[in-house]
Amino acid sequence: MYAKTQSTPETVKVQSDNGTLRLQFSTKYNPIFGGKRKHQGLSLKDTPENWQKAIAIAWRIEGDLQHPDWQQLFDPSFAKYGLKSKYTAELKLAAPIPEPEPEMTVGAMWEDYLEWKQPQLQPTTFELLYQITYTNPLKGKVYDRKNHVYLTSDNPLWDERLSGKMGDYLSRFTCCAATKHSVISALSEAFLRLQSQGRTNLTSNPFAGFNSTAVVNKTDKYKAAINADGSLLRWWDTEDTETDPDERDRRAFTKEERDIIIKAFYESDKSNVRQAAPLVEFLFLTGCRSGEAFALEWKDVFLGRDKDYIRFSKSYNGRLKNTQVTKTGETRIFKVYSKLENLLLKIKPVDAKPTDLIFTQRNGKAWYIGQLAKLWNTYELNHPQKKYVYPGVVTQLVEEGRISGYLSPYHTRHTFISLQAHAGTDLFLLATACGNSVEVIQKHYLGINPDATFCEF
């Protein structure tokens, strides 16, 4: 297909179809073409010269259709324009050209987009990321981390028409910079899909141009730029494209804090907490994602002379109550080392079946992140007469000053990767075992070690 060298009309567009050119009429003209979307072949091959001819024809036809006396000027046989149409007899020229319908709202476009997007995504990604993390800002909802609820703000984009001033709303978007970037990218994709289906009269994408990562200083490329969230972006920095907030927050416990947490779970006076101790230790010793540990069965563990590895091939989501593929969709092989092997041998029942889950709650059911989080962090339960507070293991350790600060269960993963990377573990082995990349580990886990020195030979 050849690029256009001049502008085309808004309501009569030139298109290339299987190597030949045709005209596509806007849906506003449907009433005069028997209620159907009209395409008119031009019998012209797709060449630069023919593009110019086609554009000239399109401008002439649109001029007649837009004229107040269009019924006298427009030739439904297209002979006036050097064309012929087999649909001439079907035209209803008595029907007036209606005013264009109001543009679709952002919310209506988004719901249509989600229906199309859902089959392309894993269930957890669709529900947690698209239906919640991305949808709530569009509805003007802000997450209150302290009370774990969404609050309604005064900046809803949901009911705004696509023809409105998107910039006014997007500039006041109530979410973090990373989420804002992802939401606007998704909105842009949704609009382009709408446009390709001919369901909008807008010729330009209202969400384009709002997603620049930083304000670049064009006068000096070596000066730091300013990110959308106000932080500095130095010329050697690259954007972190990870959209999962748990993956982006790569803080870690120290080795000493890790051991204190594991010991606290094992020595708890609560049986349900002690039941979770092997799971917590396993998460710290493998760096696997929690859902991968929840879905692990004994047939996924290979211990012996020739085989010493764990196979991570699935993940359990307690919210959806289903088992699916891993986050990256890949099966990973994790080499077992002595400390991890001792743990597995210690907790494996004598009568364990291959399909038995390795980690279960006291009732025999699979773990899920919500249940583990209740033991990890302080959990409050409100009843009409009384509020019950259940102290979490890690929260208590922070309050007692035994560890420096609180981090979520997901940071067991970041702790393992960070400790292994700084201990000198081969980065390729570490990256493949944890479903990561060497580049991410080098940039986000190693950083600069002030105590590092050159080796002496």
Side-chain angles (χ1 to χ4, degrees), residues 25-173:
F25 290 77
S26 168
T27 54
K28 69 179 288 186
Y29 298 129
N30 284 6
I32 69 170
F33 292 118
K36 300 178 181 179
R37 184 70 179 270
K38 174 65 175 172
H39 295 88
Q40 174 61 39
L42 299 178
S43 299
L44 296 173
K45 291 185 177 181
D46 187 355
T47 67
E49 296 77 12
N50 287 340
W51 262 103
Q52 304 311 308
K53 293 179 184 178
I55 291 173
I57 294 172
W59 275 113
R60 189 177 178 191
I61 294 174
E62 184 178 68
D64 286 351
L65 286 170
Q66 297 288 346
H67 196 278
D69 297 325
W70 69 273
Q71 288 173 301
Q72 286 74 41
L73 294 174
F74 176 61
D75 179 7
S77 72
F78 293 97
K80 174 180 177 180
Y81 315 107
L83 309 172
K84 291 183 179 180
S85 173
K86 63 181 180 180
Y87 300 108
T88 302
E90 301 176 12
L91 301 183
K92 300 179 180 180
L93 290 182
I97 301 177
E99 290 296 320
E101 294 183 3
E103 284 292 334
M104 186 182 292
T105 63
V106 172
M109 179 191 73
W110 184 254
E111 289 180 333
D112 181 76
Y113 169 73
L114 290 187
E115 186 176 344
W116 167 75
K117 194 77 174 177
Q118 183 175 8
Q120 307 171 38
L121 302 168
Q122 289 191 30
T124 47
T125 301
F126 176 74
E127 179 174 334
L128 301 179
L129 206 59
Y130 281 79
Q131 285 192 311
I132 297 177
T133 305
Y134 293 173
T135 298
N136 281 330
L138 296 179
K139 293 182 176 180
K141 294 183 178 180
V142 186
Y143 187 65
D144 182 353
R145 293 185 177 276
K146 182 178 180 180
N147 298 307
H148 304 289
V149 295
Y150 280 95
L151 305 176
T152 302
S153 73
D154 59 353
N155 184 35
L157 185 61
W158 191 261
D159 295 324
E160 288 301 311
R161 301 279 178 189
L162 293 173
S163 53
K165 296 182 179 180
M166 294 295 107
D168 293 345
Y169 289 90
L170 297 176
S171 62
R172 304 194 304 270
F173 228 29

Side-chain angles (χ1 to χ4, degrees), residues 99-344:
E99 290 296 320
E101 294 183 3
E103 284 292 334
M104 186 182 292
T105 63
V106 172
M109 179 191 73
W110 184 254
E111 289 180 333
D112 181 76
Y113 169 73
L114 290 187
E115 186 176 344
W116 167 75
K117 194 77 174 177
Q118 183 175 8
Q120 307 171 38
L121 302 168
Q122 289 191 30
T124 47
T125 301
F126 176 74
E127 179 174 334
L128 301 179
L129 206 59
Y130 281 79
Q131 285 192 311
I132 297 177
T133 305
Y134 293 173
T135 298
N136 281 330
L138 296 179
K139 293 182 176 180
K141 294 183 178 180
V142 186
Y143 187 65
D144 182 353
R145 293 185 177 276
K146 182 178 180 180
N147 298 307
H148 304 289
V149 295
Y150 280 95
L151 305 176
T152 302
S153 73
D154 59 353
N155 184 35
L157 185 61
W158 191 261
D159 295 324
E160 288 301 311
R161 301 279 178 189
L162 293 173
S163 53
K165 296 182 179 180
M166 294 295 107
D168 293 345
Y169 289 90
L170 297 176
S171 62
R172 304 194 304 270
F173 228 29
T174 53
C175 58
C176 68
T179 300
K180 179 178 180 180
H181 177 89
S182 299
V183 173
I184 294 177
S185 295
L187 286 170
S188 180
E189 182 182 35
F191 176 81
L192 292 175
R193 175 176 174 271
L194 203 69
Q195 195 176 48
S196 69
Q197 296 174 332
R199 297 166 62 192
T200 175
N201 292 318
L202 298 179
T203 56
S204 60
N205 187 345
F207 305 103
F210 294 103
N211 237 351
S212 54
T213 303
V215 180
V216 180
N217 189 322
K218 295 182 178 180
T219 59
D220 188 347
K221 66 179 181 179
Y222 296 114
K223 285 188 177 180
I226 302 175
N227 283 313
D229 61 0
S231 60
L232 291 181
L233 181 74
R234 298 163 298 182
W235 66 266
W236 60 83
D237 288 331
T238 56
E239 183 185 5
D240 187 351
T241 57
E242 176 60 63
T243 57
D244 187 339
D246 288 325
E247 289 282 6
R248 287 179 65 90
D249 183 0
R250 298 182 176 92
R251 292 175 296 167
F253 294 106
T254 65
K255 180 178 179 297
E256 292 73 21
E257 289 175 329
R258 177 202 69 181
D259 295 341
I260 290 172
I261 294 171
I262 293 173
K263 184 179 180 182
F265 269 89
Y266 275 111
E267 296 181 352
S268 173
D269 57 357
K270 298 180 178 65
S271 59
N272 59 338
V273 175
R274 295 195 301 274
Q275 182 79 12
L279 170 62
V280 171
E281 184 177 8
F282 183 84
L283 292 172
F284 271 122
L285 295 184
T286 61
C288 71
R289 298 177 178 91
S290 54
E292 296 168 348
F294 301 154
L296 208 60
E297 299 172 328
W298 284 111
K299 67 180 181 180
D300 298 313
V301 176
F302 300 84
L303 300 176
R305 260 180 101 177
D306 301 324
K307 297 179 179 179
D308 286 295
Y309 63 87
I310 299 171
R311 177 182 58 206
F312 292 110
S313 60
K314 51 193 179 296
S315 178
Y316 178 73
N317 182 272
R319 181 170 186 168
L320 300 180
K321 292 182 171 54
N322 70 358
T323 301
Q324 56 195 34
V325 297
T326 61
K327 179 182 178 181
T328 59
E330 300 174 342
T331 296
R332 303 195 316 278
I333 299 300
F334 189 98
K335 295 180 69 174
V336 174
Y337 55 99
S338 59
K339 193 169 186 177
L340 178 58
E341 182 179 21
N342 291 337
L343 170 64
L344 293 169

